[in-house]
Amino acid sequence: MKYRTKRGSVGRPLVIKKLKRPEGTITIRYKKIRENRFAKDIINMINDGKKYDEIAKNLGITKQEVITINQNNTLRHGSKINKANIKDMINLGLTTKEISKIYRCKESAVIAILRNIDLKNNIKYEKEIDISISVRDMLNKGFNFNDISKELNIKRYNLFSVYNKYFKVYSSEVIDFDIIDKLLNIKLNYSDISRFYNIPKEYLMMIIKMNEEHKLERSKKKEKKVIIDEEDILTKSYKASDIDFYSSKYIR
């Protein structure tokens, strides 16, 4: 127990005052008990397939606290950064930016390891990754590729190509009309999209037109089916409510 002493004066006894802990402070012991309690819950939730975001919400603590507690108690992600640890953390809902903070390194280093790139002798790749990170951040702020192209003074499609190379947001293996819509929304044009799919622009426009016609045809069929279904509902209603009315409606 600690005491604070007050120097006495002549004819006055020495006064001993007990130190008081400020209200609201958390002791190291309490913090450790709390952490141990959370650690068990975190391990169980991870084993149940939950991600860090969901775990944090369930426990009422921050995502960073969940990561720190889990790492301190299990060393799940190891002490050294490697591809296996990065993939494990991504599967648990962490971003490459969050992972870089945990390992106290540049985000470009995390992405490079994930993509099997050695940055030691490849300044070009590091520059590309840094550009892709800038594009990602600007897209998250609501910029489109026209805006970003002007801001970074790099051609629009080159920016998109570098961004998608490292973040792999869009797949070009199959022509996906939902992806085409998304690419148009971020201000890529049809020439850019045809380059992305590695097909002539004329062919791209042709299949887009065919898709629109197909959607229109499906819409018409759906409307027709709704009308038929409504008639069936009315017929069933007549049958259930009034057999005489139903008979008089159809037998004349």
Side-chain angles (χ1 to χ4, degrees), residues 181-204:
D181 287 339
K182 289 176 182 177
L183 295 178
L184 290 171
N185 285 336
I186 54 177
K187 299 304 178 185
L188 264 65
N189 60 28
Y190 289 115
S191 296
D192 297 329
I193 297 170
S194 64
R195 286 181 68 184
F196 172 61
Y197 284 115
N198 195 27
I199 58 174
K201 181 181 175 182
E202 293 76 15
Y203 179 67
L204 175 68

Side-chain angles (χ1 to χ4, degrees), residues 60-108:
I61 58 178
T62 66
K63 184 177 177 181
Q64 188 58 51
E65 282 181 302
V66 173
I67 298 164
T68 303
I69 291 170
N70 189 44
Q71 182 70 356
N72 289 344
N73 285 272
T74 66
L75 286 177
R76 178 186 176 104
H77 306 303
S79 57
K80 292 184 179 180
I81 186 170
N82 58 50
K83 187 173 181 178
N85 287 336
I86 292 171
K87 291 181 79 172
D88 181 42
M89 296 172 96
I90 288 173
N91 289 336
L92 286 168
L94 294 185
T95 64
T96 50
K97 182 178 283 188
E98 289 170 327
I99 294 169
S100 69
K101 290 178 181 177
I102 292 169
Y103 289 109
R104 297 178 183 178
C105 64
K106 290 180 66 177
E107 187 180 0
S108 57

Side-chain angles (χ1 to χ4, degrees), residues 64-233:
Q64 188 58 51
E65 282 181 302
V66 173
I67 298 164
T68 303
I69 291 170
N70 189 44
Q71 182 70 356
N72 289 344
N73 285 272
T74 66
L75 286 177
R76 178 186 176 104
H77 306 303
S79 57
K80 292 184 179 180
I81 186 170
N82 58 50
K83 187 173 181 178
N85 287 336
I86 292 171
K87 291 181 79 172
D88 181 42
M89 296 172 96
I90 288 173
N91 289 336
L92 286 168
L94 294 185
T95 64
T96 50
K97 182 178 283 188
E98 289 170 327
I99 294 169
S100 69
K101 290 178 181 177
I102 292 169
Y103 289 109
R104 297 178 183 178
C105 64
K106 290 180 66 177
E107 187 180 0
S108 57
V110 176
I111 295 171
I113 293 170
L114 194 60
R115 302 290 175 235
N116 299 315
I117 297 170
D118 183 5
L119 292 182
K120 288 181 181 178
N121 300 312
N122 288 297
I123 298 174
K124 172 195 168 185
Y125 290 122
E126 185 173 7
K127 186 178 179 181
E128 279 188 351
I129 296 172
D130 286 338
I131 289 171
S132 70
I133 291 169
S134 297
V135 172
R136 187 270 320 271
D137 291 342
M138 293 178 80
L139 285 171
N140 288 341
K141 290 177 182 177
F143 287 80
N144 59 53
F145 273 97
N146 281 339
D147 301 326
I148 300 169
S149 176
K150 291 175 184 176
E151 189 74 22
L152 300 181
N153 197 27
I154 301 173
K155 289 182 179 179
R156 182 181 57 235
Y157 186 77
N158 291 348
L159 280 174
F160 169 75
S161 182
V162 168
Y163 164 67
N164 204 51
K165 176 181 177 180
Y166 293 104
F167 285 99
K168 298 188 182 298
V169 180
Y170 306 104
S171 172
S172 61
E173 291 182 5
V174 178
I175 295 175
D176 187 319
F177 294 103
D178 288 335
I179 288 179
I180 290 174
D181 287 339
K182 289 176 182 177
L183 295 178
L184 290 171
N185 285 336
I186 54 177
K187 299 304 178 185
L188 264 65
N189 60 28
Y190 289 115
S191 296
D192 297 329
I193 297 170
S194 64
R195 286 181 68 184
F196 172 61
Y197 284 115
N198 195 27
I199 58 174
K201 181 181 175 182
E202 293 76 15
Y203 179 67
L204 175 68
M205 301 307 294
M206 182 184 72
I207 59 176
I208 288 174
K209 184 180 178 182
M210 288 172 61
N211 181 61
E212 291 300 321
E213 290 172 352
H214 183 58
K215 280 167 65 177
L216 185 62
E217 187 65 27
R218 279 186 302 175
S219 178
K220 287 179 180 178
K221 286 181 179 178
K222 190 175 180 181
E223 288 175 6
K224 189 176 180 181
K225 186 177 184 301
V226 169
I227 293 169
I228 293 170
D229 288 345
E230 286 177 351
E231 288 178 351
D232 288 344
I233 291 168

Side-chain angles (χ1 to χ4, degrees), residues 32-45:
K32 190 66 180 175
I33 293 170
R34 176 175 174 267
E35 186 175 301
N36 288 338
R37 188 179 75 248
F38 281 142
K40 293 176 183 177
D41 293 334
I42 291 168
I43 292 168
N44 290 334
M45 288 188 206

